Amino acid sequence: MRAMIMDALAEPLEVREVAEPAAPAGGVVVEVHATGLCKSDWHAWVGHDDVALPHVPGHELAGVIVEVGDGVERWNVGDRVTVPFVMGCGDCEWCRSGNAQVCPDQQQPGFTQWGSFAERVVLRAADTNVVRIPDDVSFEAAAALGCRFATAYRALTGRARVQAGEWITVVGAGGVGLSAVMIGVAIGARVIVVDRTPAALEAARRLGAEHTLRAGDTDVPAAVHEITGGGSHVSVDAVGSAQTARDAVLSLRRRGRHVQIGLLPTDDGMTSMPMARVIAWELDLLGSHGMAAVDYPEMLSLIESGALRPQELIERVVGLGEAAAMLATMDTASPAGMTMIDPRRA
């Protein structure tokens, strides 16, 4: 099969032929029809994640099962499926309680194993992790759920428990940030979006953001407090830097809730936060790490009904070769939405 191969950290990636994978016991092999290009893939490429080389990135995917391993009970060849980017072991206390997203023995395509920037990918513990795609949901829309959209959905509904009428400040209008905008609007929240690029802010406005602020041109927390009359009820850092996290937290009103989605890589693994404000105003700091397969049905039903439309976040579809060049620029590029890869393209 053709795959995008990472032979060294932060070096050009090569698309070449490699051996096809075989389905392990309890797992399946999926022919990839769509896979998202995400900044998390860039983090792995530069070495922020511990990956074994040579490596194939890619963790947001959808496709068709082409091989089923021994012991799989729920799935058959030909099934249209997707998967969360965190695959639980299926046996631990967290998996049994429906929280596979924090499984200590988790596997992650594109990080702990070869991922979906290839014509085929292995999905382990399929009966726990694989999700059926409804017939009227496209592969591209389903792949968009695997990381960014599902992460934003659980961050707002499961972690922050956003209510209709509440103010949300979303810092960063890339794939996950725009997903948060769409979900927030569907919930009935009032959304403010912060980004550095006009195109991203315009995309946020199209999706229903009431206010947009250009980062660098304004004091973000002060502007949010003025717009909302005291600060947002919920803030989301969808970028992942000390500055964006700080701006998001300081944008909150008293007893507000902050959800950290963007990764915060630092040399010592620690990131400063305005803890004096957190203590004095009794703010909640919440992490969100994807969403387990058992939580997908509610989100998929909203997509089937048209209340949520992740396909509108997809800006372009490219092949593996073009994607290999794009991945290296994701720290400086400012895409307004998602790039989807079809590995079957020449």
Side-chain angles (χ1 to χ4, degrees):
M1 67 175 184
R2 294 171 66 248
M4 185 193 302
I5 306 296
M6 186 169 82
D7 290 309
L9 297 178
E11 294 292 335
L13 298 105
E14 180 183 357
V15 178
R16 63 175 185 259
E17 295 284 336
V18 296
E20 291 185 356
V28 298
V29 174
V30 170
E31 180 184 72
V32 181
H33 287 222
T35 179
L37 184 64
C38 176
K39 192 174 180 182
S40 296
D41 303 308
W42 176 86
H43 282 292
W45 177 69
V46 297
H48 294 156
D49 296 278
D50 186 16
V51 298
L53 300 174
H55 182 64
V56 176
H59 60 287
E60 298 177 309
L61 67 110
V64 175
I65 293 176
V66 293
E67 185 181 348
V68 176
D70 292 341
V72 174
E73 298 179 353
R74 295 180 52 210
W75 303 103
N76 298 293
V77 170
D79 288 342
R80 303 171 75 246
V81 298
T82 186
V83 69
F85 78 91
V86 174
M87 299 189 299
C89 69
D91 295 323
C92 69
E93 63 178 282
W94 290 276
C95 287
R96 292 195 300 271
S97 68
N99 290 291
Q101 77 281 354
V102 292
C103 172
D105 297 318
Q106 64 189 245
Q107 295 291 315
Q108 296 183 21
F111 300 97
T112 65
Q113 66 169 67
W114 278 22
S116 54
F117 292 173
E119 292 178 326
R120 296 189 174 193
V121 64
V122 169
L123 304 181
R124 304 178 189 277
D127 287 337
T128 295
N129 299 305
V130 172
V131 178
R132 190 179 307 279
I133 303 172
D135 290 341
D136 53 356
V137 175
S138 70
F139 288 113
E140 290 79 12
L145 306 179
C147 172
R148 287 167 280 191
F149 202 88
T151 295
Y153 185 84
R154 185 168 179 276
L156 294 184
T157 64
R159 300 294 282 150
R161 301 191 181 279
V162 173
Q163 303 297 310
E166 289 189 315
W167 284 100
I168 305 173
T169 296
V170 178
V171 182
V176 71
L178 291 177
S179 298
V181 173
M182 181 180 288
I183 294 160
V185 170
I187 293 169
R190 307 180 69 182
V191 182
I192 301 168
V193 176
V194 182
D195 200 275
R196 63 186 180 182
T197 62
L201 295 176
E202 175 56 32
R205 285 190 289 271
R206 289 198 307 269
L207 292 173
E210 287 192 34
H211 300 272
T212 57
L213 301 171
R214 187 167 182 182
D217 289 351
T218 186
D219 181 330
V220 169
V224 171
H225 279 262
E226 181 176 354
I227 290 168
T228 60
S232 287
H233 300 86
V234 173
S235 64
V236 176
D237 176 15
V239 178
S241 74
Q243 182 64 51
T244 55
R246 177 184 178 278
D247 282 347
V249 171
L250 293 178
S251 296
L252 290 170
R253 67 179 56 208
R254 296 169 190 272
R255 305 213 72 204
R257 296 101 70 196
H258 170 71
V259 189
Q260 187 64 39
I261 293 177
L263 300 176
L264 290 164
T266 59
D267 291 339
D268 63 1
M270 302 295 175
T271 304
S272 63
M273 280 284 186
M275 293 305 296
R277 173 70 65 85
V278 171
I279 295 165
W281 286 22
E282 291 194 353
L283 306 179
D284 292 339
L285 301 184
L286 303 166
S288 192
H289 190 235
M291 188 168 79
V294 295
D295 293 328
Y296 268 61
E298 179 182 278
M299 178 177 63
L300 285 169
S301 68
L302 292 173
I303 294 168
E304 285 186 277
S305 73
L308 292 176
R309 303 172 305 281
Q311 62 273 14
E312 293 185 7
L313 301 175
I314 299 169
E315 292 294 315
R316 64 191 68 80
V317 180
V318 301
L320 286 172
E322 187 175 353
M326 295 175 69
L327 190 151
T329 67
M330 294 201 72
D331 61 325
T332 55
S334 300
M338 298 182 185
T339 296
M340 202 61 59
I341 303 166
D342 183 349
R344 301 167 301 166
R345 287 193 176 189

